[in-house]
Amino acid sequence: MNKIKIDYYEPMNTVFGQLEVSSAKRHITILHFMARKIRNHICEMIAYRSPIRQLRIMLHRLRGVKIGERVQIGMEVIIDHAYPEFVTIEDDCTITGYNYILVHSHPNEHFSKILDSYVAPVRIKKGAWIAVGAIILPGVTVGEYSIVSAGSVVTKDVPPYSIVAGNPAELTAHINKNWIKQK
């Protein structure tokens, strides 16, 4: 997993204090940080409820998610609130709905001896299918033409042409490449 260390969460007593710290960590002005956060939030909320698939995809792209061609993203899919630019969804993928794709872990500092604070990219490779209610955790790559079964929690990479299921997701089957109609 390719982790990028980030500072531990530091709660502030004021809105301005939080804006000041958060913008400084990203090396941008407070105004730029606020504009980025508001744009991200508005796009995410509209995409979450939009009944129009292409609008959902357009809004996630505006947030910074890298999305290929012929991708399906269902309703009520959450793609990381804070770091959407660390998510890549390649061509011909389907994320069915009620899914969560997370790319960061940002615990409070009192957990620093037991939990890392980091960002790690998630990549969903060509032709993958993420079934309803699945959760993809930071640093995971879902292999080409793989299936993540409904309700699974994916904590490690999924090999190409495979099916995983469970919490944590485990390999349940391999897919014969000849069974796949590739574009």
Side-chain angles (χ1 to χ4, degrees), residues 9-148:
Y9 180 69
E10 184 181 341
M12 295 289 145
N13 292 327
T14 67
V15 172
F16 183 74
Q18 192 67 54
L19 290 171
E20 195 171 49
V21 168
S22 296
S23 61
K25 285 179 184 178
R26 289 168 177 82
H27 308 291
I28 58 178
T29 66
I30 290 173
L31 188 59
H32 186 200
F33 176 76
M34 285 176 45
R36 184 188 292 178
K37 285 298 253 188
I38 291 167
R39 180 196 69 203
N40 182 45
H41 182 73
I42 290 169
C43 288
E44 182 180 23
M45 290 300 98
I46 295 170
Y48 184 77
R49 289 286 187 193
S50 174
I52 303 165
R53 178 183 63 88
Q54 282 306 112
L55 181 59
R56 288 191 297 270
I57 289 169
M58 181 189 77
L59 291 166
H60 284 303
R61 282 181 176 145
L62 281 172
R63 296 180 59 229
V65 180
K66 294 172 250 355
I67 301 173
E69 300 298 318
R70 299 172 303 282
V71 169
Q72 305 271 355
I73 298 177
M75 289 182 63
E76 299 190 23
V77 170
I78 297 172
I79 298 175
D80 200 274
H81 301 298
Y83 299 94
E85 66 275 13
F86 281 82
V87 176
T88 301
I89 304 168
E90 294 184 2
D91 296 345
D92 303 313
C93 291
T94 298
I95 302 174
T96 57
Y98 307 100
N99 306 98
Y100 203 118
I101 300 171
L102 186 64
V103 300
H104 76 285
S105 176
H106 199 217
N108 287 9
E109 192 165 9
H110 58 262
F111 289 118
S112 63
K113 294 192 188 279
I114 55 174
L115 294 173
D116 290 334
S117 185
Y118 65 94
V119 175
V122 166
R123 182 176 207 94
I124 301 172
K125 304 284 270 180
K126 181 179 173 71
W129 175 278
I130 311 298
V132 69
I135 299 169
I136 311 294
L137 294 181
V140 166
T141 295
V142 177
E144 286 188 356
Y145 297 99
S146 289
I147 298 170
V148 175

Side-chain angles (χ1 to χ4, degrees), residues 145-146 159-164 171-177 179:
Y145 297 99
S146 289
Y161 298 94
S162 60
I163 300 172
V164 298
L171 182 66
T172 60
H174 293 283
I175 299 170
N176 184 322
K177 289 182 184 182
W179 298 344

